[in-house]
Structures are given as structure tokens and as C-alpha cells.
Amino acid sequence: ELGDYYRDNKELQRQLQQQEQKLQATTKEMMKERRQVRDLKVEIENFKTSLHGTSGYIQEPKHLKEAIKSLYKRYLKDYEQTGQSETGGETDIHAEYARQREHMERTVESLRKKLNRDSEMHRKKYIRIMQENVTLLKEINDLRRELK
């Protein structure tokens, strides 16, 4: 009976040791993933800051294009160089890029339409004001003639 307890105790110690090793491995992996998450959060914040900086060029298409190219070179080239683009995420990146491009194209088109509409409205208003001014000047001249 003492031998059975001894064998059971040894088996339990071995199981405990295995569980502790599993726990250590899991802890290491968890720490590694936390580090990756923290690094990615920093990268995202840096990207947000850079993207916010490019928003100043929203009225200057050439500068905006150069700023976007700069962001691409700065962030996506690094991503591709790490080899992560070889994974299945590459198609996700391309799909997201296409989606964002379509969104930007729609936005640009709607802004162009709005600009044209506003320009036409201002042109009509300018013409109306000019016609009113001409009419008023004629009236003033007529009144001056009557006074003489």
C-alpha cells in the first residue's frame, strides 16, 4: 500500500511538472502576443498621427497625393518587407485598398459636383447683382438728369 502511494505521488509530481511547463510556455506566448499587440497599437497611433498630418493637404490634390505616397512608402513597404504580405492577409490588404480607393473616388466626385453646383450658384448670384447694379446706376443717372 505504501508503494502505491509512492507511485501515485511520483505520477502526480510528474503531472504537476508537466502542467507547470505548459503554464510557462503559455505565459511566454501570452507575453509575446501582448508585446506584438502593444507594438501594433504604437504603429497604429503613428499611422493615425501621420494620416492626420496629411489631412492638411485635403484642398491641395498634388500635395495630398505626395503625402499619401509617402505614407505608403513609410508604412506598407515596411509591412511587405517583414514578409507578412505573403500570408493570406495580402488579399485582405488589396481588398481594403480597393474599397478605400473607391470610397475616395466617390468622395472626390461628390465634392466636384458640389463645387460645380456652388460655383454655378455663385455665378448666377454675381450676374444678378451686376444686373441690379446696372439698373440702379441707370436710375441714379436718370434722377441726376431730372435734377438738372
Side-chain angles (χ1 to χ4, degrees):
E1 191 176 294
L2 190 56
D4 288 341
Y5 285 127
Y6 181 75
R7 265 185 276 122
D8 288 345
N9 195 17
K10 282 287 190 187
E11 180 62 26
L12 289 173
Q13 285 178 350
R14 188 183 59 77
Q15 288 177 359
L16 179 64
Q17 193 175 25
Q18 286 177 345
Q19 293 299 325
E20 286 174 347
Q21 288 174 351
K22 285 181 184 179
L23 179 63
Q24 287 176 355
T26 305
T27 304
K28 277 185 181 180
E29 183 152 346
M30 184 180 68
M31 296 301 285
K32 180 182 173 185
E33 288 181 11
R34 282 184 180 173
R35 202 172 315 115
Q36 282 180 322
V37 167
R38 186 181 65 238
D39 292 347
L40 287 174
K41 282 183 179 180
V42 168
E43 189 73 16
I44 289 170
E45 284 302 314
N46 289 340
F47 180 74
K48 283 181 182 178
T49 302
S50 298
L51 187 61
H52 181 71
T54 61
S55 68
Y57 301 120
I58 198 79
Q59 297 295 327
E60 304 169 30
K62 289 181 182 178
H63 291 295
L64 180 62
K65 184 177 181 179
E66 290 301 316
I68 296 296
K69 282 183 180 179
S70 172
L71 286 177
Y72 175 80
K73 288 176 184 173
R74 185 171 172 190
Y75 292 100
L76 291 182
K77 289 293 183 184
D78 291 343
Y79 181 77
E80 289 173 357
Q81 288 173 358
T82 60
Q84 294 177 5
S85 65
E86 304 297 318
T87 64
E90 183 176 3
T91 55
D92 293 343
I93 292 170
H94 290 296
E96 179 66 15
Y97 174 76
R99 186 189 68 75
Q100 287 181 1
R101 181 183 178 113
E102 288 175 12
H103 174 71
M104 292 299 277
E105 287 173 352
R106 285 192 306 270
T107 303
V108 166
E109 187 60 34
S110 68
L111 288 172
R112 280 187 183 142
K113 286 179 183 177
K114 184 177 180 183
L115 176 66
N116 289 337
R117 196 172 43 241
D118 289 349
S119 295
E120 183 64 23
M121 183 182 71
H122 288 294
R123 188 183 67 77
K124 287 178 181 178
K125 186 176 179 180
Y126 177 75
I127 289 172
R128 183 183 53 80
I129 290 172
M130 289 296 288
Q131 289 173 344
E132 287 177 10
N133 283 346
V134 167
T135 307
L136 289 172
L137 284 172
K138 284 180 183 179
E139 271 186 51
I140 288 173
N141 287 334
D142 290 345
L143 289 173
R144 281 186 184 161
R145 281 189 208 119
E146 288 179 14
L147 282 176
K148 288 185 178 179

